[in-house]
Amino acid sequence: MHIQHGEIVALLGISGSGKTTLFNIIAGLLTSDQGRILLAGQDVTGQSGQVSYMLQKDLLLPFRTIAGNVTLPLLLRGEKKKAAVAKIGPYMQTFGLAGTEQQYPAALSGGMRQRAALLRTYLFGKQLALLDEPFSALDEITKRGMHQWYLKVIQQINLTTLLVTHDIDEALVLADRIYVLAGQPSQIAAEIQLPTRQQRPADFELTNGFLEYKRQILGILANGLSTI
Amino acid sequence: MQKKRINIKVNWAPWTVLVVGVLLWQGLVSFNIVPRFLLPSPADTVTAFYTDFPLLLQNMWVTLAETVIGLLIGILLGIFLAIIMDRFEFLYRAVYPLLVISQTVPTVAIAPLLILWLGYGMLPKIVLIIVTTFFPVAVEMLTGFRATDPDLLQLMATMGAKRLKVLWFVKLPQSLDHFFASLRIAVTYAVISAVVAEWVGGNDGLGVYMTRVMKAYAFDKMFAVIVLITILSLLLMMLVNGLQHWLEPWKRVEKQ
């Protein structure tokens, strides 16, 4: 399994297929029985703090303002509060959070909180961002909005993303490439290369091509299930 | 606007009950249903409060000083214990059960010992307050630390946060609610402990004043000092509530 710089790769699988375990191994929170994690050629197996990491829960600290939450990775690195707050200014604009600096997470909508969590993840400043079902707690409409927004913002900030999801549509919309996990014990059953952004029509989600990909993935997942 | 009005609205019911109660009490004494030498009337109490006010005030400062000093040290000790019990699992397992058992020793029982060991000054009172207040603080803070979302701790780990940073940025602020819950208990414990220790032995303080007027059978003054101690506890409690309101600005948002 590999991820190119600037790529969005989705890891698709049913619940319990070990997606999150794999994530935690990459993040260095768990140790693997075998295999190694290489980041830009360097072995980072078992080391935490090497990649940015975001979960389904936004995990914003309720007692810190949005600015306080977003600057957290900078403060943890030892930066001064003032410098950190000044630094996040332009990003708050990009992430559509301008004006919420002094508000507490409880006052924000689910989508905004997730954007703030994403900005915090991004500001941790690692080359690779691990997103574990980042949008699955949101309602359908908000989720779609977040997908479009994410694709737009990702072009501006150039972030390599590994996305864990059980949502086939989400994987197809966001990813450049999809790894499908299936079987028991689960393994990578397929690697699907999707057309580039330029090649995709604006209504990609409604095209036959999209449905074809979906059919293919459902077939792979069903095969995996039949062997259980 | 609607909400603001609800917030300011005073609940009159307890005040009504209080006023009616005081009037009944006055009536019982005024109409000689209960003899005056056993039960002073509210008016007698107020008169005693007024005439003895300088003396009451002088003793109150002593008790208040003991309470505040003992409370502050007790709080710091409690937080410190919670932090090290949270950090070292073996300490938690070794110390925590003993702490719980130690709380079954009644305050009143150790007060005379402390007086014998430490004399008639402020020191034994302060020590007794520390002994009674550090426990609720330690237990509640530890509960708060342990209630931290494991996912949050994991996130902090992926951001490379060290223990002290996790404590400062996550565990301490998220335990504030627990802290204030324990502080409300600790404040009442502290006032009670100060008065009890003063009963047992001392030169100044509201407890000493109480034993003196008791020996003189001055019931009106007894009532006056009880009222004063109650007011003192209430004021300290209001201070705690004010402090909480000030230190938890995000709560104000959540309520809206």
Side-chain angles (χ1 to χ4, degrees):
Chain A
M1 203 179 132
H2 65 96
I3 304 163
Q4 298 292 327
H5 185 74
E7 211 179 9
I8 307 178
V9 174
L11 194 60
L12 186 66
I14 55 168
S15 300
S17 58
K19 303 179 300 254
T20 301
T21 308
L22 182 60
F23 246 48
N24 287 337
I25 291 170
I26 299 173
L29 296 169
L30 291 172
T31 50
S32 59
D33 296 329
Q34 49 179 336
R36 290 188 307 148
I37 315 295
L38 296 178
L39 191 65
Q42 286 203 332
D43 194 334
V44 294
T45 316
Q47 290 179 31
S48 63
Q50 298 298 325
V51 296
S52 304
Y53 181 96
M54 180 177 152
L55 296 181
Q56 175 186 340
K57 289 189 266 183
D58 57 57
L59 289 177
L60 294 174
L61 299 171
F63 41 81
R64 292 179 77 85
T65 58
I66 294 302
N69 269 290
V70 168
T71 53
L72 194 61
L74 306 177
L75 298 177
L76 286 173
R77 220 185 288 150
E79 290 190 27
K80 292 272 167 292
K81 199 174 166 188
K82 250 192 181 155
V85 171
K87 208 177 220 173
I88 65 165
Y91 292 111
M92 293 291 280
Q93 199 78 43
T94 311
F95 278 68
L97 292 165
T100 63
E101 284 85 350
Q102 295 312 315
Q103 289 187 306
Y104 288 97
L108 266 59
S109 69
M112 283 187 116
R113 292 165 61 126
Q114 215 57 11
R115 285 209 290 266
L118 200 64
L119 177 53
R120 180 177 62 179
T121 306
Y122 171 66
L123 285 174
F124 185 45
K126 298 299 163 184
Q127 303 165 3
L128 175 65
L130 301 180
L131 309 185
D132 191 348
E133 304 191 347
F135 309 124
S136 59
L138 303 172
D139 64 82
E140 192 63 31
I141 312 278
T142 312
K143 186 153 71 174
R144 278 168 179 272
M146 287 292 283
H147 289 158
Q148 295 313 314
W149 170 81
Y150 188 71
L151 289 172
K152 211 164 63 193
V153 87
I154 205 86
Q155 289 172 341
Q156 297 176 45
I157 62 177
N158 187 29
L159 184 69
T160 312
T161 311
L162 177 59
L163 171 83
V164 156
T165 182
H166 55 226
D167 182 338
I168 300 174
D169 288 23
E170 179 168 86
L172 286 170
V173 169
L174 287 181
D176 299 312
R177 205 147 47 80
I178 301 175
Y179 287 106
V180 184
L181 284 177
Q184 192 68 280
S186 58
Q187 41 191 309
I188 296 173
E191 180 185 345
I192 298 166
Q193 180 70 50
L194 296 170
T196 62
R197 304 269 157 229
Q198 290 78 16
Q199 288 169 352
R200 291 184 201 185
D203 58 348
F204 179 57
E205 282 172 75
L206 304 173
T207 60
N208 284 329
F210 184 91
L211 278 178
E212 205 47 57
Y213 282 117
K214 195 164 176 177
R215 184 170 296 138
Q216 187 189 346
I217 292 168
L218 281 169
I220 298 163
L221 290 172
N223 269 337
L225 280 177
S226 63
T227 59
I228 293 172
Chain B
M1 268 335 281
Q2 191 67 33
K3 266 182 188 154
K4 272 241 166 92
R5 229 175 280 152
I6 290 166
N7 283 343
I8 297 166
K9 205 171 134 186
V10 179
N11 181 6
W12 290 106
W15 293 103
T16 316
V17 175
L18 188 72
V19 170
V20 171
V22 169
L23 286 177
L24 268 175
W25 172 14
Q26 181 72 47
L28 280 177
V29 184
S30 296
F31 295 106
N32 282 324
I33 301 167
V34 178
R36 187 166 289 240
F37 69 90
L38 277 183
L39 182 71
S41 72
D44 297 336
T45 308
V46 171
T47 311
F49 196 92
Y50 184 73
T51 50
D52 247 17
F53 192 66
L55 201 56
L56 279 170
L57 206 60
Q58 186 193 327
N59 284 303
M60 189 196 76
W61 289 126
V62 177
T63 306
L64 189 63
E66 291 162 356
T67 306
V68 171
I69 296 169
L71 197 55
L72 285 180
I73 301 174
I75 289 167
L76 290 178
L77 183 67
I79 294 174
F80 175 73
L81 271 175
I83 290 173
I84 62 165
M85 280 196 291
D86 181 56
R87 168 67 184 82
F88 302 105
E89 181 65 24
F90 71 93
L91 261 181
Y92 170 74
R93 276 184 294 148
V95 177
Y96 192 81
L98 294 180
L99 271 183
V100 174
I101 294 169
S102 76
Q103 290 311 298
T104 56
V105 179
T107 316
V108 199
I110 45 174
L113 260 181
L114 290 174
I115 302 287
L116 287 177
W117 281 334
L118 303 170
Y120 281 75
M122 278 171 96
L123 189 60
K125 284 89 177 176
I126 291 170
V127 171
L128 189 69
I129 294 168
I130 295 170
V131 170
T132 51
T133 54
F134 84 90
F135 178 77
V137 175
V139 169
E140 277 292 324
M141 285 303 276
L142 193 62
T143 312
F145 290 163
R146 301 206 151 204
T148 313
D149 184 345
D151 284 337
L152 193 54
L153 294 177
Q154 220 166 51
L155 180 80
M156 294 298 282
T158 65
M159 290 202 260
K162 300 277 179 292
R163 279 179 203 284
L164 272 179
K165 298 248 169 155
V166 174
L167 184 69
W168 177 251
F169 282 110
V170 180
K171 288 190 169 182
L172 279 175
Q174 84 128 29
S175 305
L176 264 182
D177 265 352
H178 290 268
F179 172 69
F180 280 106
S182 72
L183 193 54
R184 270 186 274 275
I185 299 171
V187 162
T188 43
Y189 278 13
V191 177
I192 294 168
S193 299
V195 172
V196 167
E198 285 164 357
W199 281 348
V200 179
N203 304 318
D204 306 286
L206 291 176
V208 177
Y209 176 90
M210 245 177 144
T211 46
R212 279 192 198 136
V213 294
M214 192 186 81
K215 281 171 189 156
Y217 292 97
F219 284 101
D220 53 346
K221 290 181 180 176
M222 278 288 276
F223 273 80
V225 68
I226 290 169
V227 168
L228 183 61
I229 292 169
T230 311
I231 291 171
L232 194 64
S233 293
L234 274 176
L235 286 178
L236 285 172
M237 202 69 100
M238 283 166 72
L239 194 70
V240 171
N241 286 341
L243 203 63
Q244 180 168 23
H245 184 77
W246 180 59
L247 281 176
E248 294 187 335
W250 61 92
K251 290 276 149 128
R252 287 171 238 164
V253 179
E254 281 167 16
K255 268 185 202 148
Q256 276 168 16

